[in-house]
């Protein structure tokens, strides 16, 4: 089986021109948008996942690297699905490191929010759970929007394992970020902390909510009871 040729052919057989036009707007790939220049085939995510599951055993890391270099968004996303499936099924530390190294080396291809959210917590999360996390802090302190989103979204895996400190630390780094994609990501991860430990989230928000963007705060307090949400929004905590 020639993974790259057969997989790409199967994906392109599911092209939908109208959906591709919608995706171009939805992921802001127009001039000046955060996804400027990206190209779309208009393939639904369920179809991409189905194809990824069909091919992941046959695709080598070299194949995945080729797919990640593809100009089409859906082909890169399918490659990331394959990479996550490979990691999830592997118990070989050497293979896992190669998967993570490939991901990091091709990080420039993880260049929209869905690509980040579908891969970072599933690939970097498990790998860095009990390792030095300086790479994530480097990403958070970079000037690259997608690396910054990767840094905070990766911590979703840590939260699921009741490790909250890195999420809080990175949230502080990104607290005054100018882009709403970071506001939403930070607020979402703070909310995830609150789902597991309300006190940790509440204490962080109490110290920082007056300085955080409104969108970030709204995402963070989404599941609070109405009275408490109002207090935060009115600055009366």
């Amino acid at each position: 089986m020639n993974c790259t040729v057969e997989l790409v052919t199967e994906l392109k057989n599911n092209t939908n021109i109208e959906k591709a036009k919608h995706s171009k707007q939805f992921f802001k790939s127009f001039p000046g948008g955060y996804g400027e220049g990206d190209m779309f085939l208009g393939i639904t995510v369920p179809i991409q996942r189905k194809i990824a599951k069909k091919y992941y055993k046959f695709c080598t890391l070299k194949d995945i690297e080729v797919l990640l270099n593809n100009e089409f968004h859906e082909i890169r996303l399918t490659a990331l699905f394959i990479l996550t499936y490979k990691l999830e099924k592997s118990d070989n530390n050497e293979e896992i490191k190669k998967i993570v190294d490939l991901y990091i080396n091709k990080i420039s291809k993880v260049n929209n929010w869905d690509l980040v959210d579908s891969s970072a917590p599933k690939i970097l999360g498990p790998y860095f759970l009990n390792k030095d996390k300086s790479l994530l802090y480097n990403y958070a302190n970079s000037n690259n929007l997608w690396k910054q989103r990767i840094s905070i979204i990766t911590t979703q895996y840590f939260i699921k394992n009741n490790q909250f400190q890195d999420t809080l630390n990175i949230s502080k780094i990104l607290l005054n970020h100018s882009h709403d994609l970071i506001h939403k990501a930070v607020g979402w991860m703070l909310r995830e902390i609150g789902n597991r430990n309300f006190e940790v989230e509440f204490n962080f928000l109490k110290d920082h909510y007056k300085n955080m963007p409104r969108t970030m705060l709204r995402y963070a307090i989404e599941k609070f009871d109405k009275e408490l949400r109002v207090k935060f929004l009115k600055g009366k905590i």
Side-chain angles (χ1 to χ4, degrees):
M1 174 180 284
N2 187 324
C3 171
T4 54
V5 173
E6 293 185 31
L7 182 147
V8 169
T9 298
E10 190 162 345
L11 282 170
K12 287 186 174 180
N13 285 340
N14 287 278
T15 295
N16 182 313
I17 294 174
E18 286 306 310
K19 182 170 174 54
K21 289 179 182 177
H22 172 75
S23 294
K24 189 177 180 66
Q25 293 298 315
F26 185 71
F27 291 106
K28 301 197 177 355
S29 67
F30 46 76
Y34 55 69
E36 181 174 357
D38 207 354
M39 298 178 66
F40 295 85
L41 294 165
I43 307 167
T44 66
V45 169
I47 288 174
Q48 291 174 68
R49 287 192 181 278
K50 182 179 179 180
I51 292 173
K53 285 178 180 176
K54 176 180 176 180
Y55 284 91
Y56 85 90
K57 291 181 180 178
F58 308 105
C59 291
T60 66
L61 295 185
K62 279 284 189 182
D63 293 330
I64 296 169
E65 184 174 5
V66 170
L67 295 171
L68 285 172
N69 285 326
N70 197 281
E71 62 185 342
F72 287 105
H73 185 103
E74 294 94 340
I75 293 175
R76 298 198 306 282
L77 181 55
T78 302
L80 291 171
F81 287 151
I82 291 173
L83 210 54
T84 64
Y85 296 153
K86 279 187 172 292
L87 189 142
E88 287 168 357
K89 298 294 184 181
S90 179
D91 56 5
N92 183 305
N93 289 336
E94 185 177 342
E95 181 184 19
I96 289 170
K97 186 178 187 305
K98 288 180 180 178
I99 290 169
V100 173
D101 285 345
L102 171 60
Y103 185 79
I104 291 170
N105 289 336
K106 304 304 293 185
I107 208 76
S108 64
K109 304 301 182 180
V110 188
N111 56 354
N112 214 309
W113 59 264
D114 63 323
L115 303 177
V116 171
D117 298 0
S118 297
S119 61
K122 294 184 177 181
I123 295 174
L124 298 185
Y127 186 74
F128 284 110
L129 179 65
N130 296 311
K131 293 184 177 68
D132 176 73
K133 299 174 177 62
S134 57
L135 177 73
L136 299 181
Y137 288 87
N138 291 339
Y139 283 179
N141 284 297
S142 74
N143 292 317
N144 182 285
L145 175 65
W146 304 121
K147 286 183 177 180
Q148 290 169 324
R149 187 168 174 108
I150 286 167
S151 72
I152 187 66
I153 295 296
T154 294
T155 71
Q156 184 180 31
Y157 189 86
F158 308 158
I159 295 167
K160 288 179 179 178
N161 286 272
N162 295 311
Q163 293 186 17
F164 307 132
Q165 194 58 52
D166 293 295
T167 306
L168 301 177
N169 293 343
I170 293 173
S171 293
K172 283 189 211 177
I173 294 171
L174 300 174
L175 199 66
N176 297 307
H177 201 282
S178 61
H179 205 291
D180 74 329
L181 284 177
I182 300 300
H183 303 168
K184 292 173 181 177
V186 172
W188 172 21
M189 290 304 106
L190 291 172
R191 186 174 73 235
E192 290 291 312
I193 289 178
N195 289 342
R196 290 182 171 269
N197 190 317
F198 173 80
E199 185 178 1
V200 171
E201 182 190 8
F202 178 83
N203 288 336
F204 180 87
L205 291 177
K206 187 173 65 174
D207 291 339
H208 299 288
Y209 80 101
K210 289 186 177 179
N211 298 317
M212 65 172 52
R214 203 70 165 174
T215 297
M216 188 184 295
L217 177 60
R218 286 186 180 278
Y219 268 62
I221 63 174
E222 186 177 283
K223 293 189 178 179
F224 288 8
D225 64 64
K226 183 177 180 180
E227 183 179 352
L228 187 55
R229 288 202 311 273
V230 169
K231 285 182 178 179
F232 267 109
L233 292 171
K234 290 186 175 180
K236 293 183 178 180
I237 295 297

